[in-house]
Amino acid sequence: MSDSPLAHVSWPRAPFIGREFNFWKRRREIPFHKTEAELSLLDNLQGNSQVAAPTQAKSASVPNTKGPDVKPRLLLMGLRRSGKSSIASVVFHKMPPNETLFLESTTRIQKDSIHSFMDFQVWDFPGQLEYFESAFDLEDIFGSLGALVWVIDAQDDYLDSVARLNRTILTVQQFYPGINIEVFIHKVDGLSDEYRTDTFQDIVQRISDELSDAGYENAPVHYYLTSIYDYSVFEAFSKVIQKLIPNLSTLENLINTLANNCGFEKTYLFDVLSKIYIASDTRPVDMACYEMCSDYIDVIVDISELYSWDHPVRKRLGDQIQEAESHVVLHDQTMIHLMEMNKYLCLVSVIRNPEAKDKRGLIDMNCRTFQDALNEVFSRSWEEGSGAQGGESATAKK
Amino acid sequence: MDARKKKRKVLLMGKSGSGKSSMRSIIFSNYVAKDVRRLGATIDVEHSHVKFMGNLTLNLWDCGGQDAFMETYLASQRGNIFSDVAVLIYVFDIESREVERDLDTYHAIIEALREFSPNAYVFCLVHKMDLIQAEHRQRIYEERSAVIRSRSSDFRVDTFASSIWDQSLYKAWAGIVHKLIPNLVVIERFLTAFAKKINAEEVILFERSTFLTVTSVTSEVGDLNPIYDRHERLSNIMKAFKHCAARNTLTTPASAGFVVMHTKTPQFNIFLGRFTDNTYIFLVVPPGEASYNCAVLNTMLAREGFSKAAAGSGGGDGFPLPPPETAEDHATNGNGNPA
């Protein structure tokens, strides 16, 4: 990548984003469905990848004149080669995990704007960056912070990383006490179960000991075991993002009500693009359910890609509701029910009641009611926000 | 129906390490692509009986490809190996450095086949295409398949480019099994009539355990779909989801499956359901709630006719197919009284 701004204009992408772009291009090279794919699940995917482009162009050097944007910000920090860019690519750019091996080392802060149900930014920091040097404006980095995600490579010697994290926490804490500090103990796929638990406990112990030695008790630090090769990193990100959602408890209440009335075993409200769930009912999270729901979204998105081509001779045979709806019944009578909520979100539920098949009408109706409630929640919180959000809730209202 | 006729001998041959057993495991034994690293070398010939579409048994001979084995196949085992062959699947490794030598071996095999089973079908898979850069794939594949054809004597050879890492594997194998299914013409005639009755854009029949495309029909509109590899992509998508479901419901992939799947979007409606014992039917219908429900209902009715007639006709030959009139009767009845 060249450093000159001109080069940015002509090819406004960092190297790894370039690769990711190819991936999208591959998915979009089909002539017809690209034009007017009405299925909003797909629109969403494409819309996002396109929107990501202009913001990438802006990702110049670090000190950026303070923009008016008050989007919550996720900072990805940690030592070099701990897996920050891989996490960002897998979660937000749908890169297959094994391709992250080819990611080059990040040399400047990668700012990524995610336009979804809520707009937020992901800043991927180079590991070697000394952001506490005077050259960096702390206010600029941590000012509109949502969460600081610290990535620790669990397969490596982590003492350095822990020491640095503590230094960061103590500094940041003085000025910005409101931030969430999230520690991803990463690359745990390579560790045995037992060793994994030991590492986890050791890291937690070290951090909290050192922080309390420095006089900072009960620091708001949360720990997650993550790996890009399974769903744990999505799960962890879901938790991180959920803390930034202003109306989370309202959403959870709504979902709980829905789940109780419909007999859902577990319900997730997914962001279709990243497959992060932004809310779920308050029953314990079941990894198996999450995996199936997440994969089912993939199935529907992939199938949609095959059949949403556009052609004038394709005629409708009658009226139908505008949002996508799908369900599958598995061999053991488990039913997975998916319903599109708006441009960005879909509701996926697992139902283990064999009678559910016959009550689908009721379930659908309940979900529609939930949809109305959801859009009301969102339209209110974004009244002062961007216009795009307003338009979205208008389409969803239909 | 004599047992001999139902069992079809399929030879799987090719150089050692070209990926024969890997493919077999993915298609027929529910392996996922990365699991095949666990497979060791095939010693001599591994016989397996693969049940396909219920009572069509493929008698699959996975022949180890090391030179010593190849020599015995061509010499002392010649008659045993090459007689009564219905299909020869020969796998070429695109990465092989000794192309000429591979072709010589291939030619020797073809000669042996001509001697003992001159009516066999021959399929050549140019395998491991994922290792070639995407922009060169088509060209290299075409060159290679031309060379293969030139060395195939008077056999008419079908060649496929394949890779276990994408849907091309399903395309190749769907092509192979397509040739093996008896009375396919009848099935297709039925499906065409059926698709017309329910206004479907596309009707696809998938085999249950492998999720390979058995056959498909499209309407004039469905024909315009610009995505030509959609069938094998569907196989890939559904099989991946089947694995996921198996993992998370604590069963083996073999016993996992779908009962029914409905998908409604503003652009198309899709129904996937068990059709006969061994097949799934996949319908693509234009949007429209009422007509979709009608199509699903008709499919269910047609299915009953299908399997009843299958039981009556004593098992049929490979595919439990009713006489087409019966099935169509049902479809018409269904059309008459929509839900």
Side-chain angles (χ1 to χ4, degrees), chain A residues 32 288 291 295 302-303 305-309 313-315 317 319-320 322 324-331, chain B residues 201-202 221 224-227 237 244 247-248 257 259-260 262-267 269-270 286-289 291:
Chain A
F32 283 112
E291 210 177 314
D295 273 26
D302 288 348
I303 292 185
E305 219 170 281
L306 301 182
Y307 287 100
S308 9
W309 48 283
V313 298
R314 260 193 130 185
K315 293 219 172 55
L317 293 173
D319 289 335
Q320 189 166 312
Q322 274 310 301
E325 187 267 312
S326 172
H327 66 269
V328 64
V329 180
L330 299 178
H331 54 99
Chain B
E201 280 177 8
E202 183 156 36
V221 180
L224 300 170
N225 190 335
I227 301 164
I237 293 166
C244 172
R247 252 196 332 273
N248 295 305
V259 178
V260 73
H262 296 270
T263 304
K264 293 179 208 161
T265 78
Q267 293 229 305
N269 288 337
I270 279 178
E289 192 110 37
S291 68

Side-chain angles (χ1 to χ4, degrees), chain A residues 63-92:
Chain A
N64 177 352
T65 48
K66 275 186 83 175
D69 57 321
V70 281
K71 295 173 197 161
R73 196 178 289 166
L74 288 177
L75 302 183
L76 278 169
M77 291 181 165
L79 295 193
R80 53 196 299 272
R81 306 197 54 77
S82 55
K84 300 173 291 301
S85 305
S86 304
I87 292 180
S89 314
V90 168
V91 175
F92 297 107

